């Protein structure tokens, strides 16, 4: 588990094809690795990766086909800057929100505008994720815990303060940038709970207006 509070910005130093997937070497910069051991988790742009080797300047992690398919990790190149966060400890402050490091989909930055000293971003999410994104709710963008300020269909807006811009890779975002999205855990599990016994049915799909009406949630 993570909090979505980025601890450092690292750099992709190597991407090595290995048996059908890849092994990534991440240079971690200012991230303190003294308490990290083999098998620990580190979120890289919001993707929970397992440390398989520690090096003098960072760590190696294997990136599966599943991760490459579901995330924007496939678009990273040698030299790409990445957000880094070590796994949450029981004594850590929960400064953001609970983040699993499991990417739900890839979004696209469609606009960027200055807003006083902050920057306003508009991001288009996959339509399948739109129902989980709510005004003043939490969303994780490339591993960063953020508050949704406005929603229009499958597009949502974020207002990013200077501190966040300087401490993450968000300063590099431009129109067309692809970003990893993770919806709020509560929204994900609430949907399953509302399905009740139907959650055990094969291909039951997501909650629909018909389902809500049938079970008295709509009139």
């Amino acid at each position: 588990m993570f909090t979505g509070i980025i601890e450092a910005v690292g750099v992709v130093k190597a991407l090595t094809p290995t048996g059908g997937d890849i092994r990534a070497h991440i240079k971690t910069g200012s991230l303190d690795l003294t308490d990290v051991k083999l098998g620990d988790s580190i979120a890289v742009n919001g993707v929970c990766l397992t440390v398989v080797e520690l090096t003098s300047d960072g760590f190696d992690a294997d990136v599966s086909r599943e991760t490459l398919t579901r995330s924007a990790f496939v678009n990273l190149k040698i030299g790409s800057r990445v957000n880094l966060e070590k796994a949450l400890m029981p004594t850590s402050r929960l400064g953001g929100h609970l983040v699993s490091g499991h990417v739900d989909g890839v979004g696209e930055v469609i606009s960027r505008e200055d807003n006083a000293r902050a920057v306003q971003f508009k991001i288009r999410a996959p339509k399948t994720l739109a129902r989980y994104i709510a005004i003043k709710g939490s969303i994780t963008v490339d591993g960063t815990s953020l508050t949704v300020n406005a929603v229009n269909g499958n597009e949502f807006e974020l207002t990013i303060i200077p501190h966040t811009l300087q401490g993450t890779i968000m300063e590099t975002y431009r129109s067309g940038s692809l970003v990893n999205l993770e919806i709020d855990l509560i929204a994900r599990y609430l949907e399953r709970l509302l399905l009740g016994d139907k959650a055990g049915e094969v291909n039951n799909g997501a909650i629909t207006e018909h389902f809500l009406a049938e079970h008295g949630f709509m009139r």
Side-chain angles (χ1 to χ4, degrees):
M1 298 295 293
F2 306 89
T3 69
I5 303 300
I6 303 305
E7 297 179 272
V9 173
V11 177
V12 177
K13 297 299 291 184
L15 295 168
T16 307
T18 306
D21 49 38
I22 64 172
R23 176 165 290 193
H25 176 63
I26 309 297
K27 184 177 179 180
T28 52
S30 62
L31 187 68
D32 181 12
L33 298 181
T34 57
D35 60 347
V36 175
K37 60 183 184 301
L38 296 184
D40 283 354
S41 297
I42 296 178
V44 179
N45 276 4
V47 179
C48 178
L49 297 179
T50 299
V51 176
V52 298
E53 184 175 348
L54 286 165
T55 65
S56 60
D57 65 347
F59 70 96
D60 287 1
D62 291 324
V63 185
S64 69
R65 288 182 178 180
E66 170 74 4
T67 298
L68 293 172
T69 300
R70 282 186 170 270
S71 73
F73 211 99
V74 69
N75 297 306
L76 293 181
K77 301 176 176 60
I78 294 174
S80 293
R81 299 171 72 237
V82 290
N83 291 327
L84 299 175
E85 183 191 356
K86 294 184 292 186
L88 175 67
M89 298 179 67
T91 56
S92 301
R93 290 181 176 176
L94 188 58
H97 70 285
L98 288 175
V99 175
S100 68
H102 302 156
V103 174
D104 293 299
V106 177
E108 180 182 358
V109 177
I110 56 177
S111 69
R112 169 184 176 142
E113 297 179 1
D114 291 336
N115 183 354
R117 293 186 303 117
V119 174
Q120 196 89 8
F121 289 100
K122 183 178 290 185
I123 297 177
R124 181 181 295 121
K127 290 184 177 179
T128 53
L129 298 185
R131 63 183 179 272
Y132 304 111
I133 303 172
I135 296 175
K136 298 307 176 184
S138 296
I139 193 164
T140 307
V141 179
D142 276 340
T144 306
S145 172
L146 299 168
T147 300
V148 176
N149 285 336
V151 179
N152 182 14
N154 64 321
E155 297 176 358
F156 63 95
E157 294 183 12
L158 306 166
T159 301
I160 309 302
I161 62 174
H163 176 80
T164 303
L165 285 172
Q166 294 164 8
T168 71
I169 64 170
M170 295 195 76
E171 176 56 42
T172 67
Y173 290 174
R174 298 293 184 271
S175 179
S177 295
L178 300 180
V179 295
N180 292 323
L181 301 177
E182 181 183 333
I183 60 172
D184 184 55
L185 284 171
I186 296 174
R188 181 187 296 139
Y189 285 111
L190 180 60
E191 180 177 55
R192 293 292 289 177
L193 286 170
L194 286 174
L195 284 170
D197 292 339
K198 290 184 178 292
E201 297 178 8
V202 178
N203 295 326
N204 59 71
I207 290 177
T208 62
E209 288 188 13
H210 174 73
F211 175 89
L212 292 173
E214 183 181 10
H215 290 78
F217 292 102
M218 293 180 63
R219 293 182 179 179

